[in-house]
Amino acid sequence: MKILGIESSCDETAAAVVEDGSILHSNVIVSQIDIHSHYGGVVPEVAARSHIEAINPVITEALEKANCTWDAIDAIAVTYAPGLIGSLLVGTLAARTLAILHNKPLYPIHHVEAHVYANFVTGTTEPNSTLAFPSKQPRFPMLALIVSGGHSQLVLFRNHGDYELLGQTQDDAVGEAYDKVAKIIGLPYPGGPSIAKAAALGDPRKYRFPKAKLQNPYDFSFSGLKTAVLRSVQAAVGKDYTFPSHELPALLDEVTRNNFAASFQQIANETLVDKAVKAFDDYQPASVVIAGGVAANQDLRKQLKGRLPINIEYAPMQLCTDNAAMIGTLGYYYAQKMAPADPYTLEVVPSLSMTKTAWNKQEA
Ligand code: KG4
Ligand code: ZN
């Protein structure tokens, strides 16, 4: 079954063709990072406008790269939740229109569930692909550490479409913390990759930031860590909380900036790994996966591997940040359980917890 996946929930316009929830035939991503970096973050109106320009060419390119005519496509899967409303609308309307025009079943996909399914892609037919895939799909029960710009969650999957939320962030998502700390120390947007780069040159033990203690051992909290970094930066340059934070970066030298990046990354990742290891010990899953943009972080991958007694195979970094391969992949498993949506009425849902999707049996 070949599924055309479409993704436009934030600042990437993407389309991909995936067969049977495991083989990638094409994976096209147009990123708006260059546009939004001028503003230090995603500007929703600008994002929606850029999606409108990119969506049709991206879909056409995905079909062409997969050597597919519409006849060869069995279904369309599209991100309908959660995300920026204007951004979601563009992809969803395109998918609805194409489903009607070409008479294809349409599957509405939850973006965060889909991040987890990047781990189910095991190969590609694309010539000259440099992606390094896992050798096999994860087994159930599967523990998923979901770490993106909007989410930080630990989820136990008993099977496809049957999972339980073990814990989640009580305030900022970890990707959000990466982005905010990058801003404090003067590194460019998006903060995750630029912190990772600076951290490689810094000392992760230079500053020892605190870890939040929470009642539920699987919950996260990152806003205290972000404030601790801010206070520490202020102290390092001899200023207090009254000093404008946007003027702090100019006072930091490169060595100090790299040390802050490394020390923040160390504690943020250690916190994530602490919780994942606790959940592993308590639930003894057959596999562990990480998902979402922060899963591209090499130090996180290394720390997790070092502390778990099982072998972990990671998804290619390019499938961790937003893409449509994960949407087309989940579309396949979704189609095994669910009837298609009505293309005339499918609505976007900008905020929808992943535990509330129709695909998951479990109600939170
Ligand atoms: O999954 P994603 O592309 O979009 C959302 O669904 O949120 O995640 C984006 C987040 C951003 O906060 C970005 O800074 C972070 O993922 N990120 C990283 C890395 N690459 C992206 N964080 C740490 N290390 C990275 N290499
Ligand atoms: Zn995402």
Side-chain angles (χ1 to χ4, degrees):
M1 183 181 194
K2 276 190 187 148
I3 300 192
L4 171 70
I6 299 175
E7 154 67 35
S8 73
S9 66
C10 188
D11 59 346
E12 262 94 28
T13 321
V17 176
V18 187
E19 185 162 4
D20 294 343
S22 63
I23 301 296
L24 201 57
H25 288 290
S26 64
N27 182 35
V28 180
I29 306 171
V30 170
S31 171
Q32 304 173 6
I33 283 177
D34 291 347
I35 305 171
H36 298 293
S37 62
H38 296 295
Y39 307 100
V42 177
V43 184
E45 286 80 3
V46 177
R49 230 170 240 267
S50 306
H51 283 306
I52 291 173
E53 283 170 20
I55 192 85
N56 282 334
V58 163
I59 291 171
T60 305
E61 190 181 337
L63 291 171
E64 276 173 12
K65 283 204 164 138
N67 279 323
C68 271
T69 59
W70 275 103
D71 279 349
I73 296 294
D74 297 297
I76 299 173
V78 65
T79 306
Y80 80 111
L84 301 169
I85 184 163
S87 292
L88 285 168
L89 275 170
V90 178
T92 307
L93 280 172
R96 286 173 54 182
T97 311
L98 291 167
I100 294 167
L101 203 65
H102 299 286
N103 196 22
K104 304 289 176 191
L106 175 64
Y107 295 106
I109 299 298
H110 190 281
H111 179 88
V112 184
E113 282 176 346
H115 267 302
V116 175
Y117 276 75
N119 290 283
F120 284 78
V121 183
T122 53
T124 180
T125 56
E126 278 201 299
N128 313 320
S129 169
T130 53
L131 301 186
F133 295 99
S135 62
K136 53 185 183 317
Q137 292 190 322
R139 286 188 301 128
F140 295 108
M142 167 183 84
L143 178 67
L145 173 64
I146 306 173
V147 282
S148 75
H151 298 85
S152 305
Q153 294 168 329
L154 265 170
V155 181
L156 185 70
F157 280 73
R158 295 199 175 79
N159 208 330
H160 295 296
D162 178 8
Y163 60 81
E164 181 190 345
L165 181 70
L166 302 181
Q168 61 187 333
T169 185
Q170 301 300 297
D171 39 59
D172 292 353
V174 63
E176 203 177 338
Y178 265 91
D179 295 336
K180 286 177 176 170
V181 166
K183 219 170 203 175
I184 293 169
I185 61 177
L187 292 170
Y189 172 85
S194 40
I195 287 206
K197 212 164 134 200
L201 306 169
D203 175 3
R205 312 268 158 206
K206 180 75 188 177
Y207 304 97
R208 213 51 203 163
F209 296 121
K211 290 183 194 169
K213 295 220 165 38
L214 299 154
Q215 215 162 16
N216 173 354
Y218 315 120
D219 275 346
F220 304 100
S221 163
F222 289 104
S223 84
L225 172 57
K226 174 199 64 192
T227 308
V229 175
L230 176 63
R231 296 285 173 259
S232 193
V233 171
Q234 287 163 341
V237 298
K239 301 287 179 190
D240 68 10
Y241 66 92
T242 58
F243 187 75
S245 54
H246 66 271
E247 289 178 26
L248 286 171
L251 304 180
L252 281 177
D253 62 72
E254 203 163 314
V255 172
T256 314
R257 178 174 293 120
N258 293 343
N259 287 341
F260 273 118
S263 301
F264 161 77
Q265 177 179 265
Q266 172 67 31
I267 289 295
N269 291 350
E270 213 176 284
T271 305
L272 296 171
V273 174
D274 287 349
K275 311 273 168 160
V277 169
K278 165 99 180 102
F280 180 87
D281 290 344
D282 293 349
Y283 290 91
Q284 295 290 312
S287 62
V288 177
V289 299
I290 50 175
V294 183
N297 187 280
Q298 292 300 328
D299 176 69
L300 174 62
R301 291 171 174 229
K302 208 167 106 199
Q303 285 199 34
L304 192 64
K305 231 175 196 160
R307 286 181 53 194
L308 284 179
I310 56 165
N311 182 38
I312 314 182
E313 291 195 284
Y314 294 121
M317 279 169 64
Q318 294 86 338
L319 298 191
C320 290
T321 44
D322 288 351
N323 65 82
M326 65 187 196
I327 309 299
T329 302
L330 176 53
Y332 173 76
Y333 301 98
Y334 189 96
Q336 313 301 309
K337 256 182 90 165
M338 305 291 294
D342 181 347
Y344 288 95
T345 58
L346 177 66
E347 300 274 358
V348 302
V349 186
S351 55
L352 177 70
S353 160
M354 69 182 281
T355 54
K356 295 274 172 21
T357 66
W359 189 60
N360 186 30
K361 274 200 296 227
Q362 157 103 20
E363 285 286 309

